[in-house]
Amino acid sequence: MADDAEGRPAAKHAVLAGLDPEQRAAVTAEAGPVCILAGAGTGKTRSITHRIAYRALTGEVRPRHILAVTFTARAAAQMRERIARLGVAGVQARTFHAAALRQVRYFAARLFSGRELPELVDSKARLVTLAAARANARTDRTATRDLAAEIEWAKSSLIEPGEYEVAATKAGRDIPLDAAQVAEIYMAYEQVKRGNGMIDFEDLLRAAVWAIEEHTDIAEQVRAQYRHFVVDEYQDVNPVQQRLLDAWLGDRDDVTVVGDASQTIYSFTGASSSHLVDFARHYRGATVLRLVRDYRSTPQIVGCANAVIAQARGELASLRLELVGQRPAGPEPTIRDFPDEPAEAAAVAARCAELIAAGTPAREIAVLFRTNAQSASYEEALAEANVAYVVHGGERFFERPEVRRAMIALRAATRTTEPETPLHEAVASALESVGWRRDAQPQGGGTAREHWEAVAALVGIAAEHADLGLEAFCEELARRAAAQHIPNIDGVVLSSLHSAKGLEWDAVFVVGLAEGTLPTSYAKTPEAVEEERRLLYVGITRARQQLWLSYSLARTPGGRSRQPCRFLPGRHRAAGAGSGRSGPSGTRAGKTDAVRRRIVITCRVCGVTLSSGAERKIGRCESCPSDRDEELYDRLREWRLRTAGGQHVPAYVVFTDATLTALAERRPETPEELVTIAGIGPRKLALYGDAVLALVDGVAVDDLDFGAET
Ligand code: ATP
Ligand code: MG
């Protein structure tokens, strides 16, 4: 389609169709720095893929000059798929690591004095243990893990062993040993690694940076190849990745970034949404766009997500963006508790089976958890319930042992298969040699079933290429493996919250929402706790139609009891009885119009678009004069005085003056509007929501009932 001169206007038109005005502005923005700051499900990834396609189809840029980067292999695969569907071929869409690996491998001879790329460190734990022993430090498993994370943070932040002590103190790192000792272990780690002739993931990114910064010829070659850059999930870029992006760009500025500060979940590796937030300062003349309409989730799910992030504290909290649900109403999110983990897993599996029986494809269901160790009980429960599953969404599909074995068998069969043999026959007979048969699908879920489904996915690819011979088919598979073009395997997706980023499913189960698991017991600082909250927010916003949040009171039957996750909106529900709320999120069904109206984007006083979270909250520029309704303000003060008196507490405990001012300026008409005001969370909404709404509605203080509060 892209090559057909006649077809281009139509294709170009198609790329612009199905975009809202802001998305269209992003897609058609002129060459140069573009930044989209927007919440989950608002179409950021859609905007950048369409921008890539649009620019390619109009002939403005050549696809092979575009490099799109993101953070997970699965998201990269999805990006490639979306671009291909828009009729554009040849764009590189990779993770930062894959892009760096490709570049370093390509220039390896020049970078490693004629030698090949050194072996990559798989997991740091072993080397860290050796390094700790060298530095005379004793470590257990937890300390080893913490040290590995600390080394990762330092390396991603471009901090060398000699600089570590000062940098860690300055950054207020919460570390297992004293900083000098960590620095020593970090130094020893580097020596042990080098001694073993290995490099780690961070080295790979750093090597890609130095390659460009220190070799003019490499810089020229890389920059001639890649001229237009796109970064998805930019809120999670860390200093070394940013430096690589800068190195790729050189003195050019054709870069589009998109991100959401509320989805920053890699701070522990040194990622910082400041790159996103400060983009316009870094790149002069940048086009900055904002999207607020959520096209992914039902208003019920959007309400729940907003309620979770509305409680965020700290630096990033002011950057949160209120989502406005666009989809038709759906079921309320389910919040469930169970006596123990096996019971929770069994209930999740049973519900998955029900959804599948009712027509939801298994691959449109995901079970998300905080740590990979939680996967096992869900694998077991799903197998027990005869539900097929895929662990990690198959991002390493072509590295799976059963897939590799199958590919070797196919390759071997090319030597013995008659050229005219129809592909499906050739494939079937080759796979029989590794014990795979179409009619031998294992019953139930389980590992055997998972392996069978993976090989079945290869057979599915063969069915799409019936006209190829076996040899050409093997080449097609090799091409897909190199491009990480992952087939869809049918099965409920089991994934960590971290690797679910950017993806979406019809039904999402976020499980294990107990204190100690989420937030993890390792989250010791307020910042770490906030990151855990964002992780839950990422999980919730993956769901299109159905959302299930659950926790178990004990890990094992009869085990020690735990508290439910503090971020769960439902925790404050009991107090809200009678406040007219129907869901855990505080959203009323059928309130989508009100929800839509509630978003304040322009200043009430001067009309300019508001960007900062604080200004959006008060609905006007901080420098613009207040347009407080003085009569309402007086009534609110009077009501506060009486309420506080009745409870024998100081007035500010009920509401601060700033909150009263915000109320008298914004005049909220619904509970949803109320919670957007600073100082009003679910608890205050439950306690005072009805009274405040009545006052805004014009009711006199004397007509209010203070009985409930006294
Ligand atoms: P995240 O922050 O989770 O990465 P995102 O902002 O990248 O989310 P997308 O994945 O691009 O959001 O879009 C979310 C969903 O909404 C997708 O299914 C997408 O196709 C759909 N969508 C986006 N924009 C529109 C639109 N204008 N009309 C209809 N559907 C849309
Ligand atoms: Mg996205």
Side-chain angles (χ1 to χ4, degrees), residues 448-480:
R449 170 76 175 272
E450 206 194 345
H451 291 181
W452 187 93
E453 293 284 357
V455 179
L458 291 179
V459 177
I461 302 175
E464 289 166 23
H465 293 86
D467 51 329
L468 294 183
L470 187 57
E471 190 151 359
F473 175 63
C474 286
E475 274 155 29
E476 169 65 18
L477 291 183
R479 195 188 60 72
R480 287 182 180 229

Side-chain angles (χ1 to χ4, degrees), residues 18 23 40-46 82 263 295-296 502 504 542:
Q23 292 173 337
T42 54
K44 294 182 297 298
T45 304
R46 183 169 169 121
R82 289 194 192 185
Q263 294 185 66
Y295 293 98
R296 177 178 293 143
E504 58 187 29
R542 300 308 96 203

Side-chain angles (χ1 to χ4, degrees), residues 629-682:
D629 177 333
E630 295 301 335
E631 186 276 329
L632 172 58
Y633 184 72
D634 288 345
R635 268 187 301 127
L636 284 165
R637 279 178 65 101
E638 173 64 23
W639 163 81
R640 178 179 67 173
L641 190 68
R642 289 205 216 167
T643 305
Q647 296 178 1
H648 310 291
V649 295
Y652 69 81
V653 170
V654 176
F655 281 136
T656 62
D657 286 352
T659 300
L660 291 194
T661 296
L663 286 169
E665 284 188 345
R666 304 255 313 254
R667 306 186 55 92
E669 288 172 11
T670 63
E672 293 82 5
E673 290 176 6
L674 263 183
V675 288
T676 66
I677 289 175
I680 306 189

Side-chain angles (χ1 to χ4, degrees), residues 45 232-233 502:
T45 304
D232 200 354
E233 309 275 355

Side-chain angles (χ1 to χ4, degrees), residues 8 36 51 344 368 467 657 683:
R8 274 192 184 181
I36 306 178
R51 176 165 169 78
E344 184 182 4
L368 310 179
D467 51 329
D657 286 352
R683 199 180 67 84

Side-chain angles (χ1 to χ4, degrees), residues 295-363:
Y295 293 98
R296 177 178 293 143
S297 315
T298 63
Q300 284 69 21
I301 295 168
V302 168
C304 179
N306 281 337
V308 166
I309 208 68
Q311 298 300 310
R313 302 275 172 276
E315 205 189 336
L316 290 183
S318 63
L319 300 169
R320 67 181 157 232
L321 299 153
E322 181 99 17
L323 294 172
V324 190
Q326 300 296 300
R327 304 224 353 197
E332 284 296 337
T334 306
I335 302 186
R336 298 280 304 272
D337 59 274
F338 295 92
D340 51 60
E341 279 178 5
E344 184 182 4
V348 166
R351 181 75 189 121
C352 286
E354 268 173 35
L355 288 170
I356 294 166
T360 306
R363 77 171 81 92

Side-chain angles (χ1 to χ4, degrees), residues 481-498:
Q484 295 176 325
H485 184 160
I486 298 146
N488 269 329
I489 314 176
D490 203 26
V492 169
V493 176
L494 295 179
S495 167
S496 70
L497 286 161
H498 279 101

